[in-house]
Amino acid sequence: PYPHYAAMRTSSPVCQVDPDGMWAVSRWDDVLFVLKNPALFSSRGFKAVMEPPWIGYNPLVHSMLALDPPAHTRLRGLVTRAFGGGTTRRLAPKVERLAEELAGKLVGEVDFVEAFATPLPAFVIGEILGLDPSLHVFFKRWADDITSIAPEPESAAHVAQVQTAIAELSGYLREVVAARRRAPADDTVSDLIHAEVDGHSLTEDEILDFLVLLLLAGLETTTHLLGNTMILLAAQPAIWDRLRGDPALAAPFVEEMLRYDGPSHALPRITTAEVTIAGVTIPVGSLVLALVASANRDERRHADPDRFDIDRNAQGHLQFGHGIHTCVGALLARMEVRIALEVLTRRFRRVELGAGEIRYNRTIAIRGPVVLPVRFS
Ligand code: HEM
């Protein structure tokens, strides 16, 4: 359970959570209202959160994730081919092979995040972008460092670490783009290079910002979803048994898992005008966090929300956002986790937590374990 969210939904569903004026919205229908109204709630909120002055330039904040219409609309259409049902179906057998291979190494006490939950999503996005698999090991460090951005750095070393990650990642992607310009391939990088929007190609920076978004958006999120899933299954062996008995339950399991403990928690927005929600007036220019994880536990929307119920209809959860910025990788993420579950429950009788300590990540935007010792038997 998330007691702070429950308390907010009950006593102050729209409230100011810090003296600098950051607001939070915690009920399902209010969160939906925020996400449905990009003209009032701008995604430039990401800039306020992810590009504090100590960072310099953060490519994520210049990608479509952090843009509003019409700039967002212009870019969004470019990647639908890469993330549609066709790609998901084409990749599924490869994901299954990799999941089998990784599962074969889950012997004794292992860190599930390192051994399974990190390489699987890295492989998938690497395939879509056509990246060199030997570089997958760097993706996680870049993603960890870039998502550790906070208003104030933790230390001079932290500043250097984040700036190095951004420089390395951008440098690497620049080389990939240059290579595809010389020799086009059937991948998303080549598609972006040759794409035309309103009669113009994308600029080099636009391509780079886009690639950084595609690379990072699906990494930590999917890793955390896989991690949260194992924590739940270790605590509730009866669900593991049901999944073992009936693999068709993997798909509804994933949907309920997204609702119950998906990784997205807070989506940042900035108000473009004074706006009143649930009787509370928020001034223009305020940073507002749309608390999707709280919305997914809202008793006004989902009965008995703190109970994991594989048989419930979890539809309407906001784990992939809603409206114009709805996650483009939703199909892929669902497919990855579904296949992972099918493979793991076929091969193992049980998952249990190991003796080592579980460590969680550091941001409030997404939540999941970064170290997760487990044993499969
Ligand atoms: C956007 C969640 C996996 C690519 C989003 C948004 C959410 C989200 C909540 C909306 C952000 C907002 O409205 O401000 C998740 C979760 C995932 C996941 C929970 C896994 C469990 C992926 C994957 C990819 C991906 C695998 C691709 C490889 C994107 C992109 C956007 C996005 C490109 C920006 C869309 C836009 O701005 O129009 N995601 N995501 N995501 N996601 Fe995901």
Side-chain angles (χ1 to χ4, degrees), residues 4 26 35 99 112 117 198 201 279 283 324 354 373:
H4 291 87
S26 52
L35 299 180
F112 183 72
D198 306 335
S201 308
I324 62 165

Side-chain angles (χ1 to χ4, degrees), residues 17 53 72 234 282 359:
V17 288
H72 170 264
I282 305 178
R359 280 204 291 114

